[in-house]
Amino acid sequence: MERVPSQRGKFAIITGANSGIGYETALGLAKKDAMVVLACRDMRKAEGAKSRILETYPKANIKPMKADMASLAGVKQFAKHFQSHFDKLDLLINNAGIMMSPYKLTEDGFENQFATNYMGHFALAGLLLPLLTGTPGSRVVTLSSLSYKWAEIDFDDLHAKKRYSKRKAYGQSKRACLMFAYELQRRLSAAGYGTLSLAAHPGLSKTNLDRYFPALIRPLGALFLQNPEKGALPVLYAALANDLNGGEFIGPDGFQEMRGDPTVVNSDAYSKDRKVAQRLWRATEEMTHTYYLGEETHTWKP
Ligand SMILES: NC(=O)c1ccc[n+]([C@@H]2O[C@H](COP(=O)([O-])OP(=O)(O)OC[C@H]3O[C@@H](n4cnc5c(N)ncnc54)[C@H](OP(=O)(O)O)[C@@H]3O)[C@@H](O)[C@H]2O)c1
């Protein structure tokens, strides 16, 4: 981060920026003088995060805005609100997430982890696409996880209405995030846009993501997980490094990618399967009623 030049004049959105990786990413960008929108579902927590950032870096330029990523109406409302204040967007960081929550369908009828972690961000990127593609050098960074390996995409039961495994549902949502990041890059570049799309994962970091874990297990994390400041570095690297072309997955370089410094990491063959990615894209367009970078509107070919 010391080598990163000033980001003054750049506008960034970070979803779920009030705690953990999102908060540390916001702090990192704010310290480089970017204007950072904390897109959070709870405005009280967002204001608290703003105060903490200002305590650390009084010159920070921070704007909290309400964004519930589990609700299509909430995502639309946020996108509209943002567009009424700003006419460009340099960085969209798709970070908000929940892990292994009890079964719940959102108000839109979607499984909660899939909706929050993946579908809301798919819709948000689509709604903000005109701003992103109109901003030279813009990037979209989407948070995946090592846990993407826990599941494939279950097209027959995307919302786990037949059978719910909280572990599989988290894995599916994070695999969808990874495949979305890769597919978005392919579609952006096929359409001739300079906006880059990247995926990132923070290894294993001690954050509030363990809120649904048993109370006895939670304190153990502090013993072996890396701190969220370190966990945010792959996200910041994906957002800021100038040796990336888009389509990369950034994670920690240590043992099994669980901790360490940011580097480009690989992912399994399924995550790179274009047919699955295209099917997922079309299905998500239909479910979110958000259509973008499709066959009809661009030169993109399957
Ligand atoms: N920590 C890790 O080891 C790890 C590993 C792999 C991937 N990740 C990914 O990193 C990202 C950040 O997680 P974290 O570890 O920093 O956990 P965290 O501390 O729990 O942060 C998650 C953030 O997402 C927000 N959020 C949850 N549901 C939301 C919704 N419906 N609308 C808007 N915001 C919502 C939370 O807000 P509230 O405070 O209001 O709940 C919080 O700000 C997630 O995508 C996660 O999958 C983390």
Side-chain angles (χ1 to χ4, degrees):
M1 285 305 285
E2 275 163 25
R3 291 198 299 271
V4 172
S6 165
Q7 300 295 308
R8 189 177 293 280
K10 290 210 175 167
F11 291 2
I13 293 173
I14 305 172
T15 65
N18 56 276
S19 89
I21 307 298
Y23 173 80
E24 294 296 341
T25 305
L27 179 60
L29 291 173
K31 281 181 174 172
K32 290 288 166 187
D33 293 314
M35 193 291 299
V36 183
V37 169
L38 312 179
C40 302
R41 61 176 162 181
D42 181 331
M43 286 305 282
R44 197 181 43 82
K45 288 187 190 175
E47 291 292 347
K50 176 181 173 178
S51 304
R52 282 185 282 141
I53 291 173
L54 285 170
E55 273 167 30
T56 314
Y57 188 65
K59 285 193 285 175
N61 188 359
I62 303 287
K63 186 160 177 58
M65 279 191 183
K66 168 106 178 143
D68 182 356
M69 299 309 297
S71 147
L72 289 179
V75 170
K76 272 193 201 139
Q77 198 181 29
F78 166 71
K80 211 170 147 192
H81 190 192
F82 182 84
Q83 280 164 309
S84 70
H85 279 74
F86 304 104
D87 55 8
K88 67 168 207 142
L89 177 58
D90 297 275
L91 281 173
L92 171 61
I93 314 269
N94 291 327
N95 165 81
I98 47 171
M99 183 182 189
M100 293 181 29
S101 47
Y103 189 66
K104 183 183 147 186
L105 291 179
T106 64
E107 65 193 24
D108 302 303
F110 307 140
E111 190 281 314
N112 201 20
Q113 296 189 74
F114 199 56
T116 307
N117 301 355
Y118 166 62
M119 296 179 67
H121 290 116
F122 178 96
L124 183 60
L127 292 168
L128 295 176
L129 193 75
L131 281 192
L132 285 162
T133 53
T135 307
S138 62
R139 292 190 190 186
V140 180
V141 179
T142 302
L143 268 284
S144 182
S145 164
L146 286 171
S147 315
Y148 82 83
K149 292 172 193 152
W150 291 353
E152 297 190 348
I153 307 294
D154 186 354
F155 286 101
D156 292 332
D157 193 18
L158 281 174
H159 302 288
K161 288 183 178 171
K162 294 180 194 158
R163 189 180 162 272
Y164 183 61
S165 150
K166 55 189 176 183
R167 190 171 179 276
K168 273 202 160 174
Y170 182 68
Q172 175 177 264
S173 75
K174 289 286 126 177
R175 186 178 280 282
C177 285
L178 179 59
M179 297 186 76
F180 163 65
Y182 288 159
E183 183 66 8
L184 179 60
Q185 175 59 39
R186 289 190 286 262
R187 290 184 184 228
L188 283 165
S189 85
Y193 291 123
T195 303
L196 300 184
S197 166
L198 302 104
H201 82 82
L204 304 181
S205 307
K206 181 73 186 112
T207 65
N208 291 335
L209 199 64
D210 61 3
R211 73 187 71 185
Y212 295 110
F213 290 18
L216 280 172
I217 291 179
R218 293 187 68 189
L220 295 178
L223 300 176
F224 64 93
L225 304 182
Q226 60 179 356
N227 63 43
E229 190 180 352
K230 187 87 180 175
L233 288 180
V235 186
L236 287 161
Y237 189 92
L240 301 172
N242 54 21
D243 57 351
L244 299 170
N245 303 309
E248 290 95 344
F249 188 19
I250 312 296
D253 65 357
F255 178 66
Q256 302 276 330
E257 298 172 29
M258 291 191 286
R259 51 171 62 241
D261 294 321
T263 189
V264 175
V265 296
N266 204 350
S267 61
D268 66 10
Y270 185 101
S271 68
K272 297 175 197 162
D273 187 321
R274 296 196 58 183
K275 286 215 164 68
V276 179
Q278 287 157 12
R279 187 176 174 195
L280 177 64
W281 188 283
R282 276 192 295 272
T284 317
E285 280 184 329
E286 279 165 25
M287 292 184 293
T288 60
H289 312 294
T290 312
Y291 298 82
Y292 60 104
L293 296 174
E295 296 94 322
E296 306 81 14
T297 42
H298 291 285
T299 52
W300 178 85
K301 295 260 184 311

